[in-house]
Amino acid sequence: MLVDTHCHLDQLPDPATTLAEAAAQGITQVVAVSESADSMPSVLALALAHPGTVVAGLGLHPAWISQQPPEAVAAGLEFLAAHLPQARVLGEVGLDHQWATTPEEQAFQEEVLARQLALAAAAGKPINLHSRRCPRQVMERAIAFSRQTGLGAQLHWFTHSRKLIHQCNEAGVYVSVGPMVLADPQTQEVALAIADELLLLETDTPVPISGQPNHPARTRAVAEKLAALKGLSLEDLAALTTANFRRYLGVN
Ligand SMILES: [Zn+2]
């Protein structure tokens, strides 16, 4: 049993077929994260249609936030406040300085992130975080959230710096590894620094990685690669990361 802990399932043309193909490779759960106001109802519908398989993540992505008028962001936050209790996870949320280059734009992303983290804390939901071009800032928020709430905090696609991973390990922040680990030596080195009890798997489907189309079934290749790097069997790596995911969700 393997879990793809970060996937934009609602962006795929035929999620049911994709889930069946993933299940055939042993991927039995997929966290479907939203990005936009429109994708939140789609994610909830997918979780209803595939109970036990699709884990709903609701949230507003920083890149989306930076491209919307303030009224659209306010409406998105209102929907999130009303529907987050129906989801299992807050995500995909975070900061993205590729889309926010001025101090004003960055402050707006931070304000919306703070609002979303407060909703997660109030609803008792773990968080799934994006951190392009500002990994340290997002990591600090993950650590603070985890300390203040005791809830799970996950940094997705966070395999850039061993130094930051050591701080995550000390603070008990989860880090998910995706298909970059298949061919990128730096990702491999950083992934090996993640504490065993904090390691999660992901694909970030449908973002193409290493020139290849992406899909949740690729979680198996990621797991096989990590197992080989760590000197574990695939079964042991699967058991380890699935137990981590359940602890992150607060299921045990
Ligand atoms: Zn994503």
Side-chain angles (χ1 to χ4, degrees):
M1 171 180 181
L2 295 164
V3 185
D4 180 353
T5 67
H6 187 107
C7 171
H8 298 275
L9 195 62
D10 66 299
Q11 295 178 15
L12 301 180
D14 184 359
T17 301
T18 300
L19 288 170
E21 287 166 359
Q25 296 296 318
I27 293 87
T28 50
Q29 274 191 311
V30 173
V31 179
V33 289
S34 68
E35 283 193 339
S36 63
D38 285 348
S39 66
M40 289 193 284
S42 306
V43 161
L44 287 175
L46 282 168
L48 268 181
H50 304 280
T53 304
V54 174
V55 175
L58 293 190
L60 299 173
H61 192 286
W64 181 84
I65 289 165
S66 291
Q67 297 173 79
Q68 299 301 309
E71 313 83 70
V73 176
L77 284 171
E78 213 169 293
F79 183 94
L80 181 64
H83 294 87
L84 186 58
Q86 295 167 36
R88 301 287 297 278
V89 170
L90 176 84
E92 178 176 359
V93 302
L95 302 173
D96 189 326
H97 285 183
Q98 183 171 319
W99 288 95
T101 49
T102 67
E104 292 76 21
E105 288 168 338
Q106 293 176 0
F108 186 57
Q109 280 191 357
E110 289 188 19
E111 180 194 323
V112 177
L113 175 60
R115 298 265 304 273
Q116 296 189 92
L117 294 180
L119 291 173
K125 307 293 178 184
I127 58 174
N128 190 313
L129 292 161
H130 170 103
S131 57
R132 184 162 42 189
R133 301 215 175 149
C134 38
R136 180 173 292 280
Q137 291 96 318
V138 176
M139 181 192 74
E140 283 166 359
R141 279 159 186 77
I143 291 172
F145 178 87
S146 173
R147 285 211 178 116
Q148 285 159 15
T149 65
L151 296 162
Q154 169 186 0
L155 292 163
H156 117 84
W157 203 327
F158 197 73
T159 41
H160 317 291
S161 152
R162 273 169 43 139
K163 212 164 136 190
L164 295 187
I165 293 294
H166 291 313
Q167 294 186 47
C168 292
N169 288 346
E170 275 172 34
V173 168
Y174 294 84
V175 175
S176 48
V177 176
M180 281 293 285
V181 78
L182 299 177
D184 180 56
Q186 190 203 344
T187 301
Q188 292 167 2
E189 191 193 327
V190 176
L192 279 174
I194 301 167
D196 280 352
E197 70 276 14
L198 298 170
L199 176 66
L200 298 171
L201 310 173
E202 67 159 271
T203 61
D204 205 13
T205 299
V207 177
I209 295 175
S210 307
Q212 285 195 44
N214 208 355
H215 43 80
R218 264 184 127 185
T219 307
R220 187 187 178 95
V222 172
E224 286 171 346
K225 186 71 189 181
L226 283 168
L229 289 170
K230 290 169 79 68
L232 295 174
S233 67
L234 178 61
E235 291 69 29
D236 286 348
L237 194 282
L240 173 74
T241 51
T242 300
N244 291 346
F245 177 65
R246 291 175 65 79
R247 194 180 332 104
Y248 159 80
L249 280 184
V251 178
N252 288 323

